[in-house]
Amino acid sequence: MTQLASPPVLITGMSGGGLSSAAKVLEDKGYYVAQNLPPQLIVELCELCARSDSPVDKVAFVADVRTRMFPGSLADTLDQLTQRGMAPIVLFMDARDDVLIRRFDSVRRTHPLQEGDTLKHGLQREREAVASLRAKADVIVDSTNLSVHDLRRAIEASLGSQAAAVPHVTIESFGFKHGSPRDADLVVDVRFLPNPYWIPELRAFRGTDKAVADYVLEQPPAQEFVRRFLDMFESMLAGYRHEGKDFITVGVGCTGGHHRSVAVAEELGRRLRERGGLDISVLHRDFDRF
């Protein structure tokens, strides 16, 4: 039986998607983080860390496309760890291609799969190479619209309950004008609710302020939406668990991500916490964006 305090974490995804940032977050949380080990060594290190005399009880691995240079595959590694009772959590870091290109250009790096072609071609090759891992991911974090601080908060929120045997649900408010979150498992649109933006005395406030929250949530359509959503989500939870999905992200969107989506996300988070049996985080992606 493993002596690890929490499941191993495999950090993978697109080059430039935030793998290094994720590694720093886990290091700050007390993880021993290994970078780009050959796949066959990942299992050996996990077994070493699981020994009773090991000084390490939390371990994470960063594995980008460069691990393909070695024999073996990350998919086989995941299966081997699962068979040994150390099923890892797969954290997949992603971003839009135009953002990845801008990040590579800013540091004047070439893509590991560029092979003399354009950076865009390198990214296309990488997306094909990591598609199966993305499909297996427990958590997908899209760093496209996140600052360094927001990225840290998103990773911490997503992995906060990893040692607990309860599903982790992240409720993330956002503004449609900034794009939908690509890492959401479920997206709901609350733009049908009356917009506090058009109330002069409420415009400068946010959905976390009582006056705005009261204005949004006291509307009968909002009350009906919250009730119906929670009923629907309750019926979905059993299916998520059956499919082995313990990390669920719900996106709640309005126009700018300041008022309606924030108030509704806070209310959904509050009601789900009252339900019990879930680990709940509430994030507001576009809270300070204009």
Side-chain angles (χ1 to χ4, degrees), residues 40-210:
Q40 62 265 36
L41 294 185
I42 292 177
V43 176
E44 294 181 21
L45 182 55
C46 275
E47 291 180 331
L48 181 63
C49 293
R51 289 172 45 174
S52 58
D53 60 347
S54 171
V56 173
D57 63 359
K58 293 195 296 184
V59 62
F61 306 91
V62 179
D64 62 25
V65 73
R66 288 172 292 178
T67 60
R68 298 174 67 212
M69 296 185 297
F70 296 95
S73 71
L74 287 176
D76 290 341
T77 299
L78 296 178
D79 290 341
Q80 291 178 45
L81 288 172
T82 300
Q83 292 167 7
R84 288 165 170 76
M86 295 183 286
I89 294 168
V90 180
L91 170 62
F92 191 98
M93 305 300 298
D94 204 352
R96 285 200 321 262
D97 282 359
D98 62 304
V99 173
L100 295 175
I101 289 172
R102 188 164 63 246
R103 290 173 182 172
F104 271 94
D105 286 343
S106 68
V107 295
R108 293 182 170 84
R109 289 175 56 205
T110 57
H111 190 278
L113 298 184
Q114 196 164 334
E115 300 175 1
D117 288 329
T118 65
L119 179 53
K120 184 176 181 180
H121 282 96
L123 291 172
Q124 289 174 342
R125 294 187 183 105
E126 184 174 25
R127 286 213 179 275
E128 293 172 1
V130 301
S132 59
L133 271 178
R134 195 180 197 281
K136 290 177 176 289
D138 297 291
V139 180
I140 299 174
V141 174
D142 184 350
S143 64
T144 297
N145 295 309
L146 300 179
S147 68
V148 173
H149 302 297
D150 289 337
L151 180 58
R152 170 176 284 274
R153 283 191 287 268
I155 294 168
E156 288 177 340
S158 297
L159 297 180
S161 64
Q162 60 207 17
V166 297
H168 178 83
V169 180
T170 298
I171 311 293
E172 180 180 13
S173 73
F174 69 94
F176 277 100
K177 74 176 185 179
H178 302 298
S180 302
R182 297 194 304 162
D183 51 350
D185 300 291
L186 177 65
V187 173
V188 295
D189 184 350
V190 297
R191 287 177 292 185
F192 68 92
L193 298 175
N195 193 349
Y197 179 85
W198 302 114
I199 308 298
E201 57 268 29
L202 297 179
R203 181 174 299 175
F205 293 95
R206 296 291 184 266
T208 50
D209 294 304
K210 187 176 185 303

Side-chain angles (χ1 to χ4, degrees), residues 270-287:
R270 183 185 70 82
R271 297 279 290 273
L272 287 171
R273 289 188 187 100
E274 289 179 350
R275 171 197 183 277
L278 299 171
D279 186 76
I280 305 296
S281 296
V282 178
L283 301 175
H284 303 303
R285 191 192 75 180
D286 299 325
F287 194 81

